Amino acid sequence: MKNIILISFLLFIYSCGYTSVYKNQNSNNFQINIVEMQGDNDINNMIKNELKFYSNRNSEKKYDISINSDYQKIIISKNSAGVATDYKLLVDTKITINFNNKTNIFNFSENINMKSNSNSFEQNNYERNLKKNFASSIRDKFIVKIFDLDDN
């Protein structure tokens, strides 16, 4: 029964004309120059590394961008002993694009709630992975905005 439902779903997706939003992203030819980075260095460097894959040095279209990010780790709840048990991780990023003497500003926000872990090494690794996921998500949203600028 599960196989029939799965096959039906796949056939529906195949025949409905579904295409990924990011399917043709590599076909665009542009260069991203990061002029300035302010705020949280970890997030900025992760976003910078994510954007390197979309930058083509031989392109004539050149976008100069500035990145300003703010990372916060907020305690949501504590146990009876006063030890933090839940956190909220927030990333607010403002990316300014200069292209053809026009300036566009885009704001991106990401957040997630995280449980505290008794093993601080595992918690730090998990938090670092969440930061990488935030940077990847911000990159995806930013690239879509660049494609929208190209269409106009």
Side-chain angles (χ1 to χ4, degrees):
M1 183 64 176
K2 288 182 183 179
N3 290 337
I4 294 171
I5 293 172
L6 179 63
I7 291 171
S8 299
F9 179 73
L10 290 176
L11 287 175
F12 173 74
I13 292 294
Y14 179 73
S15 64
C16 75
Y18 169 80
T19 57
S20 173
V21 172
Y22 305 113
K23 180 180 177 185
N24 295 322
Q25 283 187 351
N26 292 332
S27 66
N28 282 3
N29 198 15
F30 53 83
Q31 180 179 359
I32 298 173
N33 296 322
I34 299 176
V35 178
E36 182 181 14
M37 294 192 306
Q38 295 178 346
D40 188 79
N41 287 331
D42 288 341
I43 297 292
N44 288 341
N45 288 328
M46 288 178 194
I47 293 171
K48 178 181 175 182
N49 290 336
E50 290 280 335
L51 289 173
K52 281 182 185 179
F53 296 114
Y54 287 94
S55 186
N56 182 357
R57 292 185 185 264
N58 299 325
S59 176
E60 293 182 16
K61 273 191 215 174
K62 295 182 181 178
Y63 295 99
D64 294 329
I65 69 167
S66 299
I67 302 172
N68 186 355
S69 63
D70 180 38
Y71 174 75
Q72 296 178 8
K73 184 176 180 181
I74 302 168
I75 297 173
I76 296 175
S77 64
K78 296 180 181 182
N79 64 12
S80 59
V83 177
T85 57
D86 293 321
Y87 297 97
K88 182 173 198 144
L89 305 180
L90 296 165
V91 175
D92 291 317
T93 304
K94 177 178 150 184
I95 300 179
T96 306
I97 304 174
N98 292 316
F99 178 67
N100 289 340
N101 296 324
K102 293 181 183 175
T103 301
N104 293 304
I105 299 172
F106 300 107
N107 294 307
F108 305 101
S109 293
E110 298 289 332
N111 67 65
I112 193 167
N113 292 344
M114 178 180 81
K115 292 258 186 221
S116 180
N117 190 339
S118 60
N119 185 339
S120 63
F121 178 74
E122 284 182 20
Q123 182 169 342
N124 289 338
N125 283 339
Y126 182 61
E127 187 174 343
R128 179 124 176 102
N129 285 334
L130 289 174
K131 283 183 175 182
K132 286 179 185 178
N133 291 340
F134 287 160
S136 180
S137 176
I138 290 168
R139 182 242 12 233
D140 289 342
K141 291 176 184 178
F142 177 67
I143 294 298
V144 168
K145 294 292 186 184
I146 285 180
F147 290 147
D148 287 344
L149 286 176
D150 284 345
D151 291 342
N152 294 334

